[in-house]
Amino acid sequence: MDNLEQSKIIEVIQTVNTTPSIPGSFHDPSDNHYNNHSNNEDGKYTRKYWDLIQKLKVKLPYFEVFFQYLETSVPLIHEREVYITQLTLFKYINQYFRINPLVSAFIGTLVSFIAMFQLSRTKPLFLSQLLGIVYPIYASLTAVERPKPHDDERWLTYWSCFGLFVLLDHKYQSIKQTTGVYFVPKAIILYWLSQNGSLHVYRRLIRPLLLKFQLLD
């Protein structure tokens, strides 16, 4: 990769870093680790992705705008690559089975989607409990042991939103008779809430209402 391409990567990163991000989200714009990835083995698949985009831009000039959009995803893809390759599980798989961590992550994601699809058809209640209770409990305990910025706010607001679903569960039969479904949409919404969605709900809906009725100091 020549100096011109490296300068282009840094320019893309700086452009992406000017866009607002959700606190506590995976991509932290303040992390400049990617800027030096040309000398880091962790970023080799990101470099391949970048090189592929550049080749396609030359061969398909009419889609240049689309490829420019793909370039903005490079920093996030690098962050995901570094995160995945550093997970203990994928390191173990790579060490003993010689399977690339990214391949393991892709296979695991595919199997998870298939399993969730089957559960949504056969055991929707279990699926909603798995996504809405088991993982958030683990993440909440992890947040206590290894606190990160906004973790407390994130999980406190999640459990507040979860309490609303507990109230709705008492109306399960009437909701199901009206809509035909209940637990699958519930599982999807709970998963979204656990992925920083609860912060959106609290900041844009719950907090303004509490302030309006002067329920917050």
Side-chain angles (χ1 to χ4, degrees):
M1 184 180 296
D2 56 27
N3 293 332
L4 180 61
E5 288 188 348
Q6 290 185 19
S7 300
K8 180 64 176 176
I9 293 177
I10 295 175
E11 180 182 347
V12 171
I13 295 169
Q14 292 173 345
T15 301
V16 175
N17 289 348
T18 59
T19 58
S21 62
I22 301 171
S25 61
F26 180 83
H27 176 55
D28 181 5
S30 64
D31 185 1
N32 294 321
H33 176 69
Y34 177 78
N35 294 341
N36 301 319
H37 83 276
S38 58
N39 297 321
N40 191 332
E41 191 66 19
D42 289 337
K44 61 181 180 180
Y45 292 101
T46 307
R47 292 196 295 272
K48 290 181 180 179
Y49 174 71
W50 173 265
D51 292 339
L52 176 62
I53 293 175
Q54 303 313 306
K55 291 178 181 178
L56 292 175
K57 283 178 65 176
V58 174
K59 294 182 179 180
L60 303 171
Y62 294 106
F63 296 94
E64 183 176 358
V65 175
F66 172 70
F67 293 127
Q68 288 177 350
Y69 174 77
L70 291 181
E71 286 177 350
T72 63
S73 67
V74 171
L76 177 60
I77 290 175
H78 178 258
E79 294 292 338
R80 295 294 177 92
E81 179 183 351
V82 172
Y83 175 76
I84 290 172
T85 53
Q86 290 180 350
L87 289 176
T88 304
L89 174 62
F90 295 124
K91 284 183 177 180
Y92 176 86
I93 294 175
N94 184 38
Q95 180 180 355
Y96 289 94
F97 300 100
R98 301 300 179 186
I99 300 176
N100 184 277
L102 295 180
V103 175
S104 302
F106 174 78
I107 295 174
T109 302
L110 183 61
V111 171
S112 298
F113 273 115
I114 294 175
M116 286 191 293
F117 176 75
Q118 291 296 327
L119 287 174
S120 67
R121 298 176 59 187
T122 57
K123 297 182 179 180
L125 173 60
F126 175 75
L127 176 62
S128 67
Q129 292 175 336
L130 180 65
L131 295 178
I133 300 178
V134 177
Y135 167 72
I137 287 177
Y138 168 76
S140 298
L141 294 175
T142 303
V144 173
E145 294 296 327
R146 292 178 294 179
K148 296 180 181 180
H150 304 284
D151 260 3
D152 292 343
E153 182 184 6
R154 174 186 176 185
W155 291 111
L156 284 173
T157 53
Y158 172 82
W159 291 113
S160 299
C161 295
F162 179 82
L164 297 177
F165 276 101
V166 174
L167 298 177
L168 286 176
D169 285 344
H170 294 289
K171 300 292 183 180
Y172 158 65
Q173 291 296 339
S174 59
I175 295 175
K176 186 176 180 181
Q177 290 175 0
T178 304
T179 63
V181 293
Y182 175 70
F183 287 114
V184 174
K186 174 186 174 182
I188 295 173
I189 294 173
L190 287 175
Y191 176 77
W192 175 75
L193 288 172
S194 69
Q195 302 299 311
N196 289 319
S198 59
L199 290 176
H200 285 285
V201 173
Y202 175 74
R203 293 172 181 174
R204 298 181 182 181
L205 180 63
I206 299 177
R207 189 171 188 274
L209 287 175
L210 294 176
L211 290 174
K212 180 179 179 180
F213 292 101
Q214 299 181 349
L215 297 175
L216 290 178
D217 295 333

